[in-house]
Amino acid sequence: MKTRHVPGGNSSKIQLPHKSLANPNKVRVIQAVRKYGPVSVARIVQFTGLSKPTVDQYVEVLRKDGFIYAEGLGESNGGRRPTLYAFCNSAFYTISIELEIPRCRVGVVDLEGNVLSHSEYMISSSKSIQQALLDIAEQIYEIMTQLGIPGNRYLGIGIGVSGYLSKGQGVALFSPRLADWRDVPLRSYFEQRFGLPVYLDSWINLALLGQINADFQPLGENLAYVDVSRGVGAGLLLGGKSYTGPFGNAGVIGHMVMEPGGRQCHCGKRGCLEQYCSEPALVRRFRELNSPENGDTDISADIIFSKYEAGDEIAHRVVEEGFKYLATGVANLITLFEIQTVIMGGVLASIPPNLAQLLSNLICDNTPPILRRSLVINYASHRDVDAVLKGAMHLTVASLFDISQGMAVLKHKGDNGGMPIYK
């Protein structure tokens, strides 16, 4: 097998940036600069609890490594004006992989959330797991070579996976849409290939991170981002923190059984929610009810919504049936976790106001009255095709720069306005 190396040299000989983050005190300094910068050494001492000589030492090291830079001078408190330090978002990059199986999308993202380059293709069911992983690696190598960014500028790899996974083991356990996609060792494979740390989360949770950072200042600490596309999933913020469950599979609401013994699902069960309200389900239902001579071969959710707006009776029936199931699933989620804010995305981003109102009313009708009082339902302003790639960047950054390796995405109100801690 041909050996490939990260641009800039053999990764085993490069002092990669993540290796310099093993010191927790250095990470504390980075956290303070990212969170409060531009910030002075005195303020970093105050925020971290470290001594001034220690902070001086790490500020100089981090400045030389390119993590931070001197942005200017602050206000004087009677003496010399202090130097203010800021985090250098443009100096480092992450590799992002979106596996909404069988669709694969890979890209390089800077720390501002800009996708510099990406590639997208479908994973063939005829290929072995080993060949599928090699294809992904080759796509990444091509993008890195095209961009020409030195290998020591990459912080890590973030991967968003549809289906079921084990975050702890770094393994994709099972995908309903590819029968052979079982027990795939994503973390170990890409760590060995690239010499970078690899972080996994569910596809929907990374879509949530990407969308939140792009569009919304969340209201309340319990939030659900519901994405309707090939399937139906919910990314959850509970108590202001991303909640993925012990294995990373919380929020897979598309596989809640809504009709026992109902339509066959890819997962092996019958009557799953996504068989009634995902985009493929809406398209399939529209075709079932439509006569073949109408010639509607190119159908999508957007087209069905447009037909609904134009008064098409079949489109009305399809939308109202699908929304009934979706609203019940979302209302169950609200009831279970006391969700305060719901953001609807995927094919529901920027839907016409009357359709948004119809769905919101159905959700509220199925939500306990006491929870309706504080419930806010929003619709994403656009369908951000890069949301998962951006979310994978935020996952990598949060994992590297947080000592506990947690993903505390939201802060309490009054402490930076409830925005993400690493924005």
Side-chain angles (χ1 to χ4, degrees), residues 18-64:
H18 71 273
K19 294 182 178 178
S20 69
L21 299 176
N23 187 306
N25 288 337
K26 186 185 291 187
V27 174
R28 283 193 179 94
V29 173
I30 290 178
Q31 285 180 311
V33 176
R34 279 185 63 80
K35 190 173 179 180
Y36 300 108
V39 64
S40 67
V41 166
R43 294 284 281 169
I44 297 173
V45 168
Q46 177 185 347
F47 294 137
T48 62
L50 300 173
S51 68
K52 184 177 183 301
T54 298
V55 170
D56 282 331
Q57 173 190 346
Y58 287 126
V59 162
E60 183 61 20
V61 170
L62 291 169
R63 189 187 63 79
K64 288 181 177 178

Side-chain angles (χ1 to χ4, degrees), residues 12 23 52 79-81 85 130 151 165 197 242 245-246 253 274 339 356-357:
S12 64
N23 187 306
K52 184 177 183 301
R80 289 191 307 172
R81 295 172 65 189
Y85 294 96
Q130 194 65 22
L165 70 149
S242 176
I253 64 171
E274 69 177 45
I339 298 296
Q357 191 63 57

Side-chain angles (χ1 to χ4, degrees), residues 166-378:
S166 170
K167 286 175 62 176
Q169 297 176 355
V171 172
L173 298 174
F174 167 61
S175 170
R177 294 181 180 84
L178 277 182
D180 294 335
W181 196 266
R182 294 175 180 270
D183 300 319
V184 183
L186 295 173
R187 178 181 295 149
S188 61
Y189 181 87
F190 289 107
E191 281 183 347
Q192 291 170 15
R193 276 268 164 185
F194 293 92
L196 292 168
V198 175
Y199 305 99
L200 270 71
D201 208 332
S202 70
W203 177 91
I204 186 61
N205 282 314
L206 296 193
L208 163 66
L209 289 182
Q211 195 72 55
I212 288 294
N213 279 273
D215 262 1
F216 292 97
Q217 175 170 325
L219 305 172
E221 289 198 338
N222 283 5
L223 177 148
Y225 171 73
V226 179
D227 186 283
V228 178
S229 50
R230 280 186 177 85
V232 182
L236 301 172
L237 296 180
L238 302 180
K241 295 185 179 181
S242 176
Y243 179 76
T244 61
F247 305 108
N249 301 301
V252 187
I253 64 171
H255 294 290
M256 294 192 303
V257 175
M258 304 297 288
E259 288 282 359
R263 296 175 186 168
Q264 182 66 54
C265 184
H266 302 288
C267 73
K269 303 198 303 292
R270 286 186 173 273
C272 291
L273 176 64
E274 69 177 45
Q275 293 303 311
Y276 298 90
C277 61
S278 65
E279 181 169 30
L282 296 177
V283 169
R284 182 178 61 243
R285 184 62 173 151
F286 185 85
R287 287 178 172 153
E288 286 174 358
L289 296 175
N290 228 333
S291 52
E293 57 269 21
N294 282 351
D296 286 320
T297 56
D298 186 20
I299 293 294
S300 66
D302 286 341
I303 291 174
I304 294 172
F305 295 154
S306 295
K307 287 179 176 292
Y308 181 100
E309 288 279 276
D312 184 280
E313 291 183 8
I314 293 176
H316 269 254
R317 182 173 172 183
V318 169
V319 168
E320 288 165 6
E321 286 179 2
F323 277 14
K324 178 189 71 173
Y325 283 102
L326 178 60
T328 302
V330 174
N332 288 343
L333 193 67
I334 294 167
T335 304
L336 186 62
F337 293 110
E338 292 192 338
I339 298 296
Q340 298 159 286
T341 303
V342 176
I343 301 171
M344 307 300 297
V347 299
L348 299 178
S350 66
I351 60 172
N354 61 324
L355 280 170
Q357 191 63 57
L358 170 65
L359 180 56
S360 297
N361 288 343
L362 288 170
I363 292 171
C364 289
D365 288 345
N366 287 281
T367 299
I370 192 70
L371 297 180
R372 287 184 218 155
R373 297 178 185 176
S374 60
L375 180 63
V376 175
I377 302 174
N378 286 319

Side-chain angles (χ1 to χ4, degrees), residues 350-422:
S350 66
I351 60 172
N354 61 324
L355 280 170
Q357 191 63 57
L358 170 65
L359 180 56
S360 297
N361 288 343
L362 288 170
I363 292 171
C364 289
D365 288 345
N366 287 281
T367 299
I370 192 70
L371 297 180
R372 287 184 218 155
R373 297 178 185 176
S374 60
L375 180 63
V376 175
I377 302 174
N378 286 319
Y379 291 78
S381 61
H382 65 290
R383 190 174 186 179
D384 187 353
V385 296
D386 292 327
V388 176
L389 297 185
K390 295 173 183 177
M393 177 275 291
H394 289 299
L395 168 67
T396 301
V397 170
S399 300
L400 282 170
F401 295 153
D402 182 62
I403 297 169
S404 66
Q405 299 298 299
M407 286 184 60
V409 180
L410 299 181
K411 295 168 55 185
H412 292 289
K413 295 290 181 182
D415 188 12
N416 200 30
M419 292 302 286
I421 63 170
Y422 42 76

